[in-house]
Amino acid sequence: MLSEWQNHKTQLRGYVSKRIDDADAVDDILQDVYIKASSNLHQLKSTGSLKGWLYRIAHNTIMDFYRGRQPYEPLPDDLVAEEEDEGIQAREELAQCLRPLIDELPEKYGIPLRLAELEGVSQKDIAQQLGLSLSGAKSRVQRGRVKFREQMMACCDFEVDQNGIVDYTRKDTGSAPKCDPLLEQK
């Protein structure tokens, strides 16, 4: 291995030095390449592919070098807590906006939908609370979503982009009382 290494060492040094601007790091990388090649020589399938194999090891070692150098600052511990708090607050605000519309749905669909979407109860627990089978609870939540969507579409025009709903405006529905709770929020 040592004689083959000497044949390719100069070319490998040029390859590495074109990609790394620190001369000391070039020597370290070449040393790592030699160690990796020596320890994994049993993986080389034929001696004719030694040069390509050495270059692949050199390339991977260079990538490892750059991955290790990437500076980063750890996130502050309180950052995650703030995001969680904001998410909970946003969910509560949305729940206050949507609750009156969900309450307008027939009770057999409104209750499972409110439990699932606003209170975060699992469908299994909804089934137990309401004395339904799991498939019955899933069906009621799904039908509640469909009815809720129909109600929303009857009351509002939505502006949608690739990120979802960005805005909505009141439809001219005359005196449709079922739209009043939603439209009072706008």
Side-chain angles (χ1 to χ4, degrees):
M1 171 68 191
L2 188 57
S3 64
E4 289 294 324
W5 173 254
Q6 293 301 332
N7 292 338
H8 299 291
K9 183 178 178 182
T10 306
Q11 292 174 337
L12 283 170
R13 179 180 297 283
Y15 175 80
V16 173
S17 63
K18 287 181 185 176
R19 288 153 181 80
I20 306 289
D21 55 359
D22 180 1
D24 293 330
V26 169
D27 289 333
D28 291 343
I29 288 173
L30 279 176
Q31 182 179 5
D32 287 346
V33 169
Y34 179 74
I35 291 169
K36 289 176 184 178
S38 296
S39 355
N40 295 307
L41 191 58
H42 63 279
Q43 293 178 350
L44 183 62
K45 300 205 175 54
S46 72
T47 56
S49 61
L50 176 68
K51 183 176 180 178
W53 186 65
L54 288 173
Y55 275 92
R56 175 53 48 200
I57 293 172
H59 171 78
N60 292 341
T61 306
I62 292 168
M63 294 299 109
D64 291 342
F65 170 78
Y66 279 118
R67 281 187 204 110
R69 284 185 54 191
Q70 290 182 352
Y72 69 92
E73 294 180 26
L75 294 175
D77 293 335
D78 60 344
L79 182 63
V80 175
E82 289 175 16
E83 288 180 8
E84 289 174 5
D85 291 344
E86 289 175 11
I88 291 170
Q89 182 181 356
R91 185 179 176 103
E92 288 173 2
E93 288 174 9
L94 181 61
Q96 293 304 316
C97 178
L98 299 179
R99 187 176 309 274
L101 284 173
I102 291 175
D103 290 343
E104 291 289 323
L105 295 174
E107 191 173 288
K108 74 184 224 177
Y109 302 121
I111 292 172
L113 184 63
R114 185 177 62 250
L115 289 171
E117 299 299 339
L118 301 183
E119 297 175 21
V121 178
S122 72
Q123 292 182 357
K124 182 179 177 184
D125 291 340
I126 292 171
Q128 289 175 348
Q129 286 181 22
L130 300 178
L132 301 169
S133 67
L134 179 58
S135 64
K138 288 180 178 185
S139 178
R140 289 206 184 166
V141 169
Q142 198 61 24
R143 287 181 185 153
R145 287 176 181 155
V146 169
K147 290 188 174 298
F148 181 74
R149 182 171 188 228
E150 289 170 356
Q151 187 174 358
M152 295 283 290
M153 298 306 286
C155 295
C156 300
D157 286 318
F158 294 94
E159 183 180 333
V160 180
D161 69 5
Q162 67 271 13
N163 297 320
I165 297 174
V166 280
D167 198 12
Y168 68 93
T169 56
R170 178 182 194 148
K171 278 188 178 179
D172 185 20
T173 57
S175 59
K178 70 177 184 179
C179 295
D180 290 342
L182 173 70
L183 300 174
E184 289 170 5
Q185 301 292 325
K186 181 76 170 156

